[in-house]
């Protein structure tokens, strides 16, 4: 296929190749957007996982600290647990004594993606060691 006189003068080929110019750029931009969205999704999952671990640590430390004061009553035990949960970036949402065990529930707020807020929750139990008969 050759160029017609008018198309040769304008610098365009006659076989439609000009219609495909820039197609690779659009495909590359689409691929780049896919990578950005996959990266955002991975970052969101990572942030949620870190919040879950932080809530677990806050509940564990709160239960351990409060269990030492279980004999002083629920107010003293839960007060101490609340202090440790807050020091670890959480919020105490539940605290109760079951015998000599203290059961603590903690929450940590996380924003994995802009405009998307979630809460990670964890519970922990601490108390004296029990002997197990074989």
């Amino acid at each position: 296929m050759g160029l017609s006189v008018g198309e040769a003068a304008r610098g365009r080929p006659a076989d439609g190749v000009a219609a495909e110019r820039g197609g690779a750029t659009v495909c590359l931009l689409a691929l780049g957007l896919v990578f950005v969205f996959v990266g955002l999704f991975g970052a969101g999952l990572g942030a949620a996982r870190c919040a879950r671990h932080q809530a677990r640590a806050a509940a564990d430390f709160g239960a351990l600290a409060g269990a030492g004061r279980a004999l002083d009553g629920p107010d003293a035990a839960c007060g101490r647990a609340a202090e440790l949960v807050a020091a670890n970036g959480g919020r105490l949402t539940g605290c109760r004594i079951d015998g000599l065990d203290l059961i603590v529930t903690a929450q940590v707020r996380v924003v994995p993606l802009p405009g998307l807020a979630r809460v990670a929750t964890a519970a922990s139990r601490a108390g004296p060691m029990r002997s197990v008969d074989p």
Side-chain angles (χ1 to χ4, degrees), residues 58-134:
D60 286 345
F61 287 135
L64 287 171
R69 297 203 177 160
L71 292 177
D72 296 336
D75 291 337
C78 291
R80 182 66 179 147
E83 290 174 13
L84 265 287
V85 168
N88 283 284
R91 184 173 66 92
L92 185 71
T93 58
C95 181
R96 67 182 176 91
I97 292 182
D98 181 20
L100 292 176
D101 290 351
L102 184 69
I103 302 167
V104 170
T105 304
Q107 287 184 343
V108 172
R109 187 173 182 268
V110 63
V111 182
L113 295 173
L116 180 68
R118 295 286 183 238
V119 175
T121 305
S124 187
R125 179 183 198 114
M129 189 172 91
R130 292 169 178 74
S131 62
V132 178
D133 294 328

